[in-house]
Amino acid sequence: MFSILGNATFRHLFGAQVFSLMGSGLATVALALLAFDLAGDRAGTVLGTAFALKMVAYVGISPVVGAYAARFPRRGFLVGLDLCRAAMVCLLPFVDAIWQVYVLVFLFQSFSAAFTPTFQATIPDVLPDEEEYTRALSLSRLAYDLESVLSPVFAGLLLSVVSFHWLFAGTGVGFLISALLVVTAALPAAKKALDQQDTLRKRLGKGFRIYMKTPRLKGLLGMSFAVSAAGSIVLVNTVVLVQGQLGADQTILTLFMGVYGAGSMVVAFTIPRLLRTVHDRKVMLAGIPMLIVGLLLATEIDSVVTGLPVWFLLGVAGSVILTPSGRLLARSAHPEDRPAIYAAHFALSHAGWLITYPLAGWAGVTFGLQETMLIMAALVLVGGVAALWFWPREFGRELEHEHPAHHHGHMHVHDEHHDHKHEGWEGPEPHVHPHHHEAVRHVHDFVIDDHHPAWPTRL
């Protein structure tokens, strides 16, 4: 997995990701302390609203950015977003009202909603070989898991010598280093769509249209929802389980979260080798029964000893599903459409968290923790059944399909699909003019695009 760091461009981008994640981790701790400083016992309400705003930004902003991301120079766009995020967090120590926190958090998360899918869509262009890209996905998963463990530790060390306000400064430094590493990376130019005059409505809908017409991606959405149902139990209710039911202290709470991350890290190390011999679909679907079993076992936890293996299993199961997801996205769109499709996935998958986060909290208070785990297990099952329904089998990349004869006009260049005569008035390529396509039946790497608006029904 670490051999992929031999690629200088990816090494810079991975370093940028690490510093960005560390900055975000420090910001999470600092925000919790700021909320308590401003609101006291109402800090939970402030944080809950802030996290809800985060999900709203992720769901609402990322598709808009995905529609335009390919039109901007990648390096300048990513660096600008890092600088904007640094500016927002550096303003947080100076707020004196809760509404100001909400405004800055929403702006910060909006910039993150623009940065993350654009960054993710860049990696397949840097690493076009799928095996190398798989290693990069595993390394990225490992970085996320390590951040969840190390950021609170690092924050605790800083808080022993400075006030929590300085954590925001540390966050800003993380984003500045991220920007510097992106500046020094030799990023490939984004491939632009031929038609740069598409309407806003068409650009906004393109990523979602590709996503919802591709069976493997609809299956991915079902599995992503399953992960959010199980993950919300871990992120929202671990503290209730550990300190409320088991009567343990905060040290045990961090141990539970660390074991959950360790399960995910085990998958990050092993999955590149596994995916060489087992197809993504089989690997990812295996995570569904693991999540269900984990949640059912969680209802019987009566001690720390019985709880830690369950949290390890849930970490393994979630990572089994999430780690290969980038491979499905990369193979399901042309390079020029990747920003839109990554943004669509970012929005749709976080919509699941927008549902399950509050549901896990509300159900835990209303029905009890064990009943909530059963509810979430049922939602995992729903997500798994949806994945099987929409992605009943892997159809392969190269599909035989038929195009009827048709006459239309769109932006194009002359290639094997557009070999026709001109009369002289059509202008330089790429250009638009009515042209005819003969009926053809052929086989090639199939993705949804302007010439392939629907998945073949006869396979």
Short mmCIF file of all heavy atoms in Angstrom, two decimals, residues 368-395:
data_model
loop_
_atom_site.label_atom_id
_atom_site.label_comp_id
_atom_site.label_asym_id
_atom_site.label_seq_id
_atom_site.Cartn_x
_atom_site.Cartn_y
_atom_site.Cartn_z
N GLY A 368 -34.87 3.76 23.69
CA GLY A 368 -33.80 3.05 24.37
C GLY A 368 -32.72 2.61 23.39
O GLY A 368 -32.97 2.49 22.18
N LEU A 369 -31.54 2.34 23.92
CA LEU A 369 -30.39 2.06 23.06
C LEU A 369 -30.53 0.73 22.32
O LEU A 369 -30.25 0.64 21.12
CB LEU A 369 -29.11 2.06 23.89
CG LEU A 369 -27.79 2.00 23.11
CD1 LEU A 369 -27.70 3.12 22.09
CD2 LEU A 369 -26.61 2.08 24.08
N GLN A 370 -30.96 -0.32 23.01
CA GLN A 370 -31.07 -1.63 22.35
C GLN A 370 -32.10 -1.58 21.22
O GLN A 370 -31.87 -2.12 20.13
CB GLN A 370 -31.46 -2.71 23.37
CG GLN A 370 -30.31 -3.24 24.20
CD GLN A 370 -29.76 -2.19 25.17
OE1 GLN A 370 -30.52 -1.35 25.68
NE2 GLN A 370 -28.47 -2.22 25.43
N GLU A 371 -33.23 -0.95 21.47
CA GLU A 371 -34.25 -0.84 20.43
C GLU A 371 -33.75 -0.03 19.24
O GLU A 371 -34.06 -0.34 18.08
CB GLU A 371 -35.52 -0.20 21.02
CG GLU A 371 -36.28 -1.07 22.00
CD GLU A 371 -35.62 -1.13 23.38
OE1 GLU A 371 -34.64 -0.37 23.60
OE2 GLU A 371 -36.08 -1.91 24.23
N THR A 372 -32.96 1.00 19.52
CA THR A 372 -32.40 1.82 18.44
C THR A 372 -31.45 1.00 17.58
O THR A 372 -31.43 1.13 16.35
CB THR A 372 -31.66 3.04 19.02
OG1 THR A 372 -32.57 3.79 19.81
CG2 THR A 372 -31.09 3.91 17.92
N MET A 373 -30.67 0.13 18.21
CA MET A 373 -29.77 -0.73 17.44
C MET A 373 -30.55 -1.67 16.53
O MET A 373 -30.14 -1.93 15.39
CB MET A 373 -28.88 -1.53 18.39
CG MET A 373 -27.84 -0.67 19.11
SD MET A 373 -26.94 -1.60 20.36
CE MET A 373 -25.82 -0.33 20.97
N LEU A 374 -31.68 -2.16 16.99
CA LEU A 374 -32.52 -3.02 16.15
C LEU A 374 -33.11 -2.22 14.98
O LEU A 374 -33.21 -2.73 13.86
CB LEU A 374 -33.64 -3.64 16.99
CG LEU A 374 -33.20 -4.65 18.05
CD1 LEU A 374 -34.40 -5.11 18.88
CD2 LEU A 374 -32.53 -5.85 17.39
N ILE A 375 -33.52 -0.98 15.25
CA ILE A 375 -34.03 -0.13 14.18
C ILE A 375 -32.96 0.10 13.12
O ILE A 375 -33.22 -0.02 11.91
CB ILE A 375 -34.52 1.23 14.75
CG1 ILE A 375 -35.76 1.02 15.62
CG2 ILE A 375 -34.81 2.22 13.62
CD1 ILE A 375 -36.19 2.27 16.38
N MET A 376 -31.74 0.38 13.57
CA MET A 376 -30.66 0.63 12.62
C MET A 376 -30.27 -0.65 11.87
O MET A 376 -29.91 -0.60 10.69
CB MET A 376 -29.45 1.22 13.35
CG MET A 376 -29.70 2.63 13.86
SD MET A 376 -30.24 3.74 12.54
CE MET A 376 -30.55 5.25 13.46
N ALA A 377 -30.35 -1.80 12.54
CA ALA A 377 -30.10 -3.06 11.84
C ALA A 377 -31.11 -3.27 10.72
O ALA A 377 -30.77 -3.76 9.63
CB ALA A 377 -30.14 -4.22 12.84
N ALA A 378 -32.37 -2.90 10.99
CA ALA A 378 -33.40 -3.01 9.96
C ALA A 378 -33.09 -2.09 8.78
O ALA A 378 -33.29 -2.46 7.61
CB ALA A 378 -34.77 -2.68 10.55
N LEU A 379 -32.60 -0.88 9.08
CA LEU A 379 -32.23 0.05 7.99
C LEU A 379 -31.04 -0.47 7.21
O LEU A 379 -30.96 -0.28 5.98
CB LEU A 379 -31.94 1.43 8.58
CG LEU A 379 -33.13 2.18 9.17
CD1 LEU A 379 -32.70 3.56 9.68
CD2 LEU A 379 -34.25 2.32 8.16
N VAL A 380 -30.09 -1.10 7.87
CA VAL A 380 -28.97 -1.73 7.16
C VAL A 380 -29.50 -2.78 6.18
O VAL A 380 -29.06 -2.88 5.03
CB VAL A 380 -27.97 -2.36 8.14
CG1 VAL A 380 -26.93 -3.20 7.39
CG2 VAL A 380 -27.27 -1.29 8.97
N LEU A 381 -30.45 -3.58 6.66
CA LEU A 381 -31.06 -4.61 5.80
C LEU A 381 -31.74 -3.97 4.60
O LEU A 381 -31.62 -4.46 3.47
CB LEU A 381 -32.05 -5.43 6.61
CG LEU A 381 -32.77 -6.55 5.85
CD1 LEU A 381 -31.78 -7.57 5.30
CD2 LEU A 381 -33.80 -7.23 6.76
N VAL A 382 -32.46 -2.87 4.82
CA VAL A 382 -33.10 -2.16 3.72
C VAL A 382 -32.07 -1.70 2.70
O VAL A 382 -32.24 -1.88 1.48
CB VAL A 382 -33.90 -0.95 4.25
CG1 VAL A 382 -34.37 -0.06 3.10
CG2 VAL A 382 -35.10 -1.42 5.07
N GLY A 383 -30.96 -1.12 3.18
CA GLY A 383 -29.90 -0.69 2.27
C GLY A 383 -29.30 -1.85 1.51
O GLY A 383 -29.02 -1.75 0.31
N GLY A 384 -29.10 -2.99 2.18
CA GLY A 384 -28.54 -4.16 1.51
C GLY A 384 -29.47 -4.74 0.46
O GLY A 384 -29.03 -5.11 -0.64
N VAL A 385 -30.77 -4.81 0.78
CA VAL A 385 -31.75 -5.31 -0.19
C VAL A 385 -31.80 -4.38 -1.41
O VAL A 385 -31.87 -4.84 -2.56
CB VAL A 385 -33.14 -5.45 0.46
CG1 VAL A 385 -34.21 -5.73 -0.60
CG2 VAL A 385 -33.12 -6.56 1.51
N ALA A 386 -31.76 -3.07 -1.17
CA ALA A 386 -31.76 -2.11 -2.28
C ALA A 386 -30.52 -2.31 -3.16
O ALA A 386 -30.61 -2.26 -4.40
CB ALA A 386 -31.80 -0.68 -1.73
N ALA A 387 -29.37 -2.55 -2.53
CA ALA A 387 -28.14 -2.77 -3.31
C ALA A 387 -28.27 -4.01 -4.19
O ALA A 387 -27.88 -4.00 -5.36
CB ALA A 387 -26.95 -2.90 -2.36
N LEU A 388 -28.82 -5.09 -3.64
CA LEU A 388 -29.00 -6.32 -4.42
C LEU A 388 -30.02 -6.13 -5.54
O LEU A 388 -29.88 -6.68 -6.63
CB LEU A 388 -29.45 -7.46 -3.50
CG LEU A 388 -28.38 -8.06 -2.60
CD1 LEU A 388 -29.02 -8.98 -1.56
CD2 LEU A 388 -27.35 -8.83 -3.42
N TRP A 389 -31.05 -5.34 -5.26
CA TRP A 389 -32.10 -5.11 -6.26
C TRP A 389 -31.57 -4.29 -7.43
O TRP A 389 -31.80 -4.63 -8.60
CB TRP A 389 -33.27 -4.40 -5.61
CG TRP A 389 -34.38 -4.03 -6.56
CD1 TRP A 389 -34.55 -2.84 -7.21
CD2 TRP A 389 -35.45 -4.87 -7.01
NE1 TRP A 389 -35.65 -2.87 -8.01
CE2 TRP A 389 -36.23 -4.11 -7.92
CE3 TRP A 389 -35.82 -6.18 -6.72
CZ2 TRP A 389 -37.36 -4.64 -8.53
CZ3 TRP A 389 -36.96 -6.70 -7.33
CH2 TRP A 389 -37.71 -5.93 -8.22
N PHE A 390 -30.86 -3.21 -7.13
CA PHE A 390 -30.39 -2.32 -8.20
C PHE A 390 -29.11 -2.81 -8.86
O PHE A 390 -28.82 -2.43 -10.00
CB PHE A 390 -30.17 -0.91 -7.64
CG PHE A 390 -31.43 -0.20 -7.26
CD1 PHE A 390 -31.69 0.15 -5.94
CD2 PHE A 390 -32.39 0.09 -8.22
CE1 PHE A 390 -32.85 0.80 -5.59
CE2 PHE A 390 -33.57 0.75 -7.88
CZ PHE A 390 -33.80 1.10 -6.56
N TRP A 391 -28.34 -3.63 -8.16
CA TRP A 391 -27.07 -4.15 -8.70
C TRP A 391 -27.07 -5.66 -8.54
O TRP A 391 -26.32 -6.21 -7.75
CB TRP A 391 -25.92 -3.50 -7.94
CG TRP A 391 -24.56 -3.70 -8.54
CD1 TRP A 391 -24.25 -4.08 -9.80
CD2 TRP A 391 -23.30 -3.51 -7.87
NE1 TRP A 391 -22.90 -4.14 -9.97
CE2 TRP A 391 -22.28 -3.79 -8.81
CE3 TRP A 391 -22.95 -3.12 -6.58
CZ2 TRP A 391 -20.93 -3.71 -8.49
CZ3 TRP A 391 -21.61 -3.03 -6.25
CH2 TRP A 391 -20.60 -3.32 -7.20
N PRO A 392 -27.94 -6.36 -9.29
CA PRO A 392 -28.10 -7.81 -9.09
C PRO A 392 -26.86 -8.61 -9.43
O PRO A 392 -26.66 -9.70 -8.92
CB PRO A 392 -29.27 -8.16 -10.01
CG PRO A 392 -29.26 -7.09 -11.06
CD PRO A 392 -28.81 -5.85 -10.36
N ARG A 393 -26.03 -8.11 -10.31
CA ARG A 393 -24.77 -8.73 -10.65
C ARG A 393 -23.87 -7.71 -11.31
O ARG A 393 -24.34 -6.64 -11.72
CB ARG A 393 -24.97 -9.93 -11.58
CG ARG A 393 -25.58 -9.56 -12.93
CD ARG A 393 -25.90 -10.81 -13.73
NE ARG A 393 -26.56 -10.52 -15.00
CZ ARG A 393 -25.92 -10.32 -16.15
NH1 ARG A 393 -24.60 -10.36 -16.18
NH2 ARG A 393 -26.59 -10.08 -17.26
N GLU A 394 -22.60 -8.01 -11.40
CA GLU A 394 -21.69 -7.09 -12.08
C GLU A 394 -21.75 -7.37 -13.57
O GLU A 394 -21.49 -8.49 -14.03
CB GLU A 394 -20.25 -7.26 -11.56
CG GLU A 394 -19.22 -6.45 -12.31
CD GLU A 394 -19.58 -4.97 -12.43
OE1 GLU A 394 -20.17 -4.41 -11.48
OE2 GLU A 394 -19.28 -4.37 -13.48
N PHE A 395 -22.12 -6.36 -14.33
CA PHE A 395 -22.33 -6.54 -15.76
C PHE A 395 -21.03 -6.45 -16.56
O PHE A 395 -21.01 -6.71 -17.76
CB PHE A 395 -23.32 -5.49 -16.28
CG PHE A 395 -24.65 -5.56 -15.58
CD1 PHE A 395 -24.95 -4.68 -14.56
CD2 PHE A 395 -25.58 -6.51 -15.94
CE1 PHE A 395 -26.17 -4.75 -13.90
CE2 PHE A 395 -26.81 -6.58 -15.28
CZ PHE A 395 -27.10 -5.70 -14.26
#
